[in-house]
Coordinates of all heavy atoms in Angstrom, one line a residue:
M4 N 125.7 227.3 85.8 CA 124.5 226.8 86.5 C 124.2 225.4 86.2 O 124.2 225.0 85.1 CB 123.3 227.7 86.1 CG 123.1 228.9 87.0 SD 123.2 228.6 88.8 CE 121.6 227.9 89.1
V5 N 123.9 224.6 87.3 CA 123.5 223.3 87.1 C 122.1 223.2 86.5 O 121.2 224.0 86.9 CB 123.5 222.5 88.5 CG1 122.8 221.2 88.4 CG2 124.9 222.4 89.0
K6 N 121.9 222.4 85.5 CA 120.7 222.3 84.8 C 119.9 221.1 85.3 O 120.4 220.0 85.5 CB 121.0 222.1 83.3 CG 120.2 223.0 82.4 CD 120.2 222.4 81.0 CE 121.0 223.4 80.1 NZ 121.2 222.9 78.8
E7 N 118.6 221.4 85.5 CA 117.7 220.3 86.0 C 117.0 219.7 84.9 O 116.4 220.4 84.1 CB 116.7 220.9 87.0 CG 116.3 220.0 88.1 CD 115.4 220.7 89.2 OE1 115.9 221.7 89.8 OE2 114.3 220.3 89.3
I8 N 117.0 218.4 84.8 CA 116.4 217.7 83.6 C 115.4 216.7 84.1 O 115.7 215.9 85.1 CB 117.5 216.9 82.8 CG1 118.7 217.8 82.5 CG2 116.9 216.3 81.6 CD1 118.7 218.5 81.2
N9 N 114.3 216.6 83.5 CA 113.3 215.5 83.8 C 113.2 214.5 82.7 O 113.0 214.9 81.6 CB 111.9 216.1 84.1 CG 111.8 216.6 85.5 OD1 111.9 215.9 86.4 ND2 111.6 217.9 85.6
K10 N 113.5 213.3 83.0 CA 113.5 212.2 82.0 C 112.9 211.0 82.6 O 113.3 210.5 83.6 CB 114.9 212.0 81.5 CG 114.9 211.3 80.2 CD 116.0 211.8 79.3 CE 115.8 211.2 77.9 NZ 116.9 211.7 77.0
H11 N 111.9 210.4 81.9 CA 111.2 209.2 82.3 C 110.8 209.3 83.8 O 110.8 208.3 84.5 CB 112.1 208.0 82.1 CG 112.8 207.9 80.8 ND1 112.1 207.9 79.6 CD2 114.1 207.9 80.4 CE1 112.9 207.8 78.6 NE2 114.1 207.8 79.1
G12 N 110.3 210.5 84.2 CA 109.8 210.6 85.5 C 110.8 210.8 86.6 O 110.5 210.9 87.7
D13 N 112.1 210.8 86.2 CA 113.2 211.0 87.1 C 113.8 212.3 86.9 O 113.8 212.8 85.8 CB 114.2 209.9 87.0 CG 113.8 208.6 87.6 OD1 113.3 208.6 88.7 OD2 114.0 207.5 87.0
K14 N 114.4 212.8 88.0 CA 115.1 214.1 87.9 C 116.6 213.9 87.9 O 117.1 213.1 88.6 CB 114.7 214.9 89.2 CG 114.4 216.3 88.9 CD 114.2 217.0 90.3 CE 112.8 217.7 90.2 NZ 112.6 218.4 91.5
Y15 N 117.2 214.6 87.0 CA 118.7 214.6 86.9 C 119.2 216.0 86.8 O 118.5 216.9 86.5 CB 119.1 213.8 85.6 CG 118.6 212.4 85.5 CD1 117.4 212.1 84.9 CD2 119.4 211.4 86.0 CE1 117.0 210.7 84.8 CE2 119.0 210.1 86.0 CZ 117.8 209.8 85.4 OH 117.4 208.5 85.4
F16 N 120.5 216.0 87.2 CA 121.1 217.3 87.2 C 122.3 217.3 86.3 O 123.1 216.4 86.4 CB 121.5 217.7 88.6 CG 120.3 217.8 89.5 CD1 119.9 216.6 90.2 CD2 119.6 218.9 89.6 CE1 118.8 216.7 91.0 CE2 118.4 219.0 90.5 CZ 118.0 217.8 91.1
Q17 N 122.5 218.3 85.5 CA 123.6 218.3 84.5 C 124.6 219.4 84.8 O 124.2 220.5 85.0 CB 123.0 218.5 83.1 CG 124.1 218.4 82.0 CD 123.5 218.6 80.6 OE1 122.5 219.4 80.4 NE2 124.1 218.0 79.6
C18 N 125.8 219.0 84.7 CA 126.9 219.9 84.7 C 127.0 220.6 83.4 O 127.2 219.9 82.4 CB 128.2 219.2 85.0 SG 129.7 220.2 84.7
E19 N 126.8 221.9 83.3 CA 126.8 222.6 82.0 C 128.2 222.7 81.4 O 128.3 222.9 80.2 CB 126.2 224.0 82.2 CG 124.7 224.0 82.2 CD 124.1 225.3 81.8 OE1 124.6 226.3 82.3 OE2 123.2 225.3 81.0
S20 N 129.2 222.4 82.2 CA 130.5 222.5 81.7 C 131.0 221.3 80.9 O 131.5 221.4 79.8 CB 131.5 222.8 82.8 OG 132.8 223.1 82.3
C21 N 130.7 220.1 81.4 CA 131.1 218.9 80.8 C 130.0 218.0 80.3 O 130.1 217.0 79.6 CB 132.0 218.0 81.7 SG 131.1 217.4 83.1
S22 N 128.7 218.5 80.6 CA 127.5 217.8 80.1 C 127.2 216.4 80.8 O 126.3 215.7 80.3 CB 127.5 217.6 78.6 OG 127.6 218.9 78.0
F23 N 127.9 216.0 81.8 CA 127.6 214.8 82.5 C 126.3 215.0 83.3 O 126.0 216.1 83.8 CB 128.7 214.4 83.4 CG 129.8 213.6 82.7 CD1 131.1 214.1 82.8 CD2 129.5 212.5 82.0 CE1 132.2 213.4 82.2 CE2 130.5 211.8 81.4 CZ 131.9 212.2 81.5
F24 N 125.6 213.9 83.5 CA 124.4 214.0 84.3 C 124.6 213.3 85.7 O 125.3 212.3 85.8 CB 123.2 213.2 83.6 CG 122.8 213.9 82.4 CD1 123.3 213.5 81.1 CD2 121.9 215.0 82.4 CE1 122.9 214.2 80.0 CE2 121.5 215.6 81.3 CZ 122.0 215.3 80.0
Y25 N 123.9 213.8 86.7 CA 124.0 213.3 88.0 C 122.6 213.1 88.6 O 121.7 213.9 88.3 CB 124.9 214.2 88.9 CG 126.3 214.2 88.4 CD1 126.7 215.2 87.6 CD2 127.2 213.3 88.8 CE1 128.0 215.3 87.1 CE2 128.5 213.3 88.4 CZ 128.9 214.3 87.5 OH 130.2 214.4 87.0
K26 N 122.5 212.3 89.6 CA 121.2 212.1 90.3 C 121.0 213.0 91.4 O 119.9 213.2 91.9 CB 121.1 210.6 90.8 CG 120.9 209.6 89.7 CD 120.3 208.4 90.2 CE 119.7 207.6 89.0 NZ 119.1 206.3 89.4
T27 N 122.1 213.7 91.8 CA 121.9 214.7 92.9 C 122.4 216.0 92.4 O 123.4 216.1 91.7 CB 122.5 214.3 94.2 OG1 124.0 214.3 94.0 CG2 122.1 212.9 94.7
K28 N 121.8 217.1 92.9 CA 122.2 218.4 92.6 C 123.6 218.7 93.2 O 124.4 219.4 92.6 CB 121.2 219.4 93.2 CG 121.3 220.8 92.6 CD 120.2 221.7 93.1 CE 120.2 222.9 92.3 NZ 119.0 223.7 92.6
E29 N 123.8 218.1 94.3 CA 125.1 218.2 95.0 C 126.3 217.8 94.2 O 127.3 218.5 94.0 CB 125.0 217.4 96.3 CG 126.2 217.6 97.3 CD 126.5 219.0 97.7 OE1 125.5 219.7 98.0 OE2 127.6 219.4 97.7
L30 N 126.1 216.6 93.5 CA 127.2 216.1 92.7 C 127.4 216.9 91.5 O 128.5 217.2 91.0 CB 126.9 214.6 92.3 CG 127.2 213.6 93.4 CD1 126.6 212.2 92.9 CD2 128.7 213.4 93.5
A31 N 126.3 217.3 90.8 CA 126.4 218.2 89.6 C 127.1 219.5 89.9 O 127.9 220.0 89.2 CB 125.0 218.4 89.1
K32 N 126.8 220.0 91.1 CA 127.4 221.3 91.5 C 128.9 221.1 91.8 O 129.7 222.0 91.4 CB 126.7 221.8 92.8 CG 126.5 223.3 92.8 CD 125.7 223.7 94.1 CE 126.3 225.0 94.5 NZ 126.2 225.2 95.9
R33 N 129.2 220.0 92.4 CA 130.6 219.8 92.7 C 131.4 219.6 91.4 O 132.5 220.1 91.2 CB 130.8 218.5 93.5 CG 130.8 218.8 95.0 CD 130.7 217.5 95.8 NE 131.9 216.7 95.6 CZ 132.0 215.4 96.0 NH1 131.0 214.8 96.6 NH2 133.1 214.7 95.8
C34 N 130.8 218.9 90.4 CA 131.4 218.7 89.1 C 131.6 220.0 88.4 O 132.6 220.3 87.9 CB 130.5 217.8 88.3 SG 131.2 217.3 86.7
E35 N 130.5 220.8 88.4 CA 130.6 222.1 87.7 C 131.7 223.0 88.3 O 132.4 223.7 87.6 CB 129.3 222.7 87.7 CG 129.2 223.9 86.7 CD 127.8 224.3 86.4 OE1 127.2 223.7 85.5 OE2 127.3 225.2 87.1
E36 N 131.7 223.0 89.6 CA 132.7 223.9 90.3 C 134.1 223.4 89.9 O 135.0 224.2 89.6 CB 132.6 223.8 91.8 CG 131.6 224.8 92.3 CD 131.1 224.5 93.7 OE1 131.8 223.7 94.4 OE2 130.1 225.1 94.1
W37 N 134.3 222.1 89.9 CA 135.6 221.5 89.5 C 135.9 221.9 88.0 O 137.0 222.4 87.7 CB 135.7 220.0 89.7 CG 137.0 219.5 89.4 CD1 137.5 219.2 88.2 CD2 138.1 219.3 90.4 NE1 138.8 218.7 88.3 CE2 139.2 218.8 89.6 CE3 138.2 219.4 91.7 CZ2 140.4 218.4 90.2 CZ3 139.4 219.1 92.3 CH2 140.5 218.6 91.6
C38 N 135.0 221.6 87.2 CA 135.2 221.8 85.7 C 135.5 223.3 85.4 O 136.4 223.5 84.6 CB 133.9 221.4 84.9 SG 133.6 219.6 85.0
T39 N 134.8 224.1 86.0 CA 135.0 225.6 85.7 C 136.3 226.0 86.2 O 137.0 226.8 85.5 CB 133.9 226.4 86.5 OG1 132.6 225.8 86.1 CG2 133.9 227.8 86.0
K40 N 136.7 225.5 87.4 CA 138.0 226.0 88.0 C 139.2 225.3 87.3 O 140.2 226.0 87.1 CB 138.0 225.5 89.4 CG 138.7 226.4 90.4 CD 138.4 226.1 91.8 CE 139.3 226.7 92.8 NZ 138.9 226.3 94.2
H41 N 139.1 224.0 87.0 CA 140.3 223.3 86.5 C 140.3 223.0 85.0 O 141.2 222.5 84.5 CB 140.5 222.0 87.3 CG 140.6 222.2 88.8 ND1 141.8 222.4 89.4 CD2 139.6 222.2 89.7 CE1 141.6 222.5 90.7 NE2 140.3 222.5 90.9
H42 N 139.2 223.3 84.4 CA 139.0 223.0 82.9 C 139.4 221.5 82.6 O 140.0 221.2 81.6 CB 139.9 223.9 82.1 CG 139.5 225.4 82.3 ND1 138.3 225.9 81.8 CD2 140.1 226.4 83.0 CE1 138.2 227.2 82.1 NE2 139.2 227.5 82.9
S43 N 139.0 220.7 83.6 CA 139.1 219.2 83.3 C 138.2 218.6 84.3 O 137.5 219.2 85.1 CB 140.6 218.8 83.7 OG 140.8 218.9 85.1
C44 N 138.0 217.2 84.1 CA 137.1 216.5 85.0 C 137.8 215.8 86.1 O 138.9 215.3 85.9 CB 136.3 215.5 84.1 SG 135.0 216.4 83.2
N45 N 137.1 215.7 87.2 CA 137.7 215.0 88.4 C 137.0 213.6 88.4 O 135.8 213.5 88.5 CB 137.3 215.7 89.6 CG 137.9 215.1 90.9 OD1 138.3 213.9 90.9 ND2 137.9 215.8 92.0
I46 N 137.8 212.6 88.2 CA 137.3 211.2 88.1 C 136.6 210.8 89.4 O 135.6 210.0 89.3 CB 138.4 210.2 87.8 CG1 137.8 208.9 87.3 CG2 139.4 210.0 88.9 CD1 138.7 208.0 86.5
E47 N 136.9 211.3 90.5 CA 136.2 211.0 91.8 C 134.8 211.6 91.7 O 133.9 211.1 92.4 CB 137.0 211.7 93.0 CG 138.2 211.0 93.3 CD 138.0 209.5 93.7 OE1 137.1 209.2 94.5 OE2 138.7 208.7 93.1
I48 N 134.6 212.5 90.9 CA 133.2 213.1 90.7 C 132.5 212.4 89.6 O 131.4 212.0 89.7 CB 133.2 214.6 90.6 CG1 133.9 215.3 91.8 CG2 131.8 215.2 90.4 CD1 134.2 216.8 91.6
T49 N 133.2 212.4 88.4 CA 132.5 211.9 87.2 C 132.2 210.4 87.3 O 131.4 209.9 86.5 CB 133.4 212.1 86.0 OG1 134.7 211.5 86.1 CG2 133.5 213.6 85.7
K50 N 132.8 209.6 88.2 CA 132.4 208.2 88.4 C 131.0 208.1 88.9 O 130.4 207.0 88.8 CB 133.4 207.5 89.3 CG 133.3 207.9 90.7 CD 134.3 207.0 91.5 CE 134.3 207.4 93.0 NZ 135.4 206.8 93.8
H51 N 130.4 209.2 89.4 CA 129.1 209.1 89.9 C 128.1 209.6 88.8 O 126.9 209.6 89.0 CB 128.9 210.1 91.1 CG 129.7 209.7 92.3 ND1 129.4 208.6 93.0 CD2 130.8 210.3 92.8 CE1 130.3 208.5 94.0 NE2 131.2 209.5 93.9
A52 N 128.6 209.9 87.6 CA 127.8 210.4 86.5 C 126.9 209.2 86.0 O 127.3 208.1 86.1 CB 128.6 210.9 85.4
V53 N 125.7 209.6 85.6 CA 124.8 208.5 85.1 C 124.4 208.7 83.6 O 124.5 209.9 83.1 CB 123.5 208.5 85.9 CG1 123.8 208.0 87.3 CG2 122.8 209.8 86.0
E54 N 124.1 207.6 82.9 CA 123.6 207.7 81.6 C 122.1 207.9 81.6 O 121.4 207.3 82.3 CB 123.9 206.4 80.9 CG 125.4 206.1 80.7 CD 125.9 206.7 79.4 OE1 125.1 207.0 78.5 OE2 127.1 206.9 79.3
I55 N 121.7 208.8 80.7 CA 120.2 208.9 80.6 C 119.7 208.9 79.2 O 120.5 209.0 78.3 CB 119.6 210.2 81.3 CG1 120.1 211.5 80.6 CG2 120.0 210.2 82.8 CD1 119.3 212.7 81.1
Ligands
ZN115 ZN1 131.5 218.7 84.9

């Protein structure tokens, strides 16, 4: 399940598999689906990850 995080008044979404944060639920979901299926990260998705 994608986790919703509130930090500094902004909303972020975390992939529970690799722990990366994203600004949209869509990206976090795509990441999690990929991570769960392939047990690795997709650079096309993780490049959208943000630091919080
Ligand atoms: Zn992930």
Side-chain angles (χ1 to χ4, degrees):
M4 269 314 282
V5 170
K6 227 195 245 174
E7 214 174 297
I8 312 267
N9 277 296
K10 198 144 188 179
H11 311 302
D13 282 317
K14 220 184 237 180
Y15 297 93
F16 301 90
Q17 184 182 32
C18 165
E19 278 203 314
S20 186
C21 68
S22 301
F23 277 125
F24 292 97
Y25 296 93
K26 285 201 165 177
T27 67
K28 195 174 195 171
E29 187 57 42
L30 281 168
K32 219 178 145 208
R33 271 173 63 193
C34 184
E35 194 165 272
E36 273 165 15
W37 184 278
C38 291
T39 308
K40 210 166 166 182
H41 302 271
H42 300 287
S43 70
C44 284
N45 182 344
I46 193 157
E47 287 303 309
I48 301 172
T49 56
K50 71 179 179 190
H51 299 287
V53 290
E54 292 276 336
I55 65 168

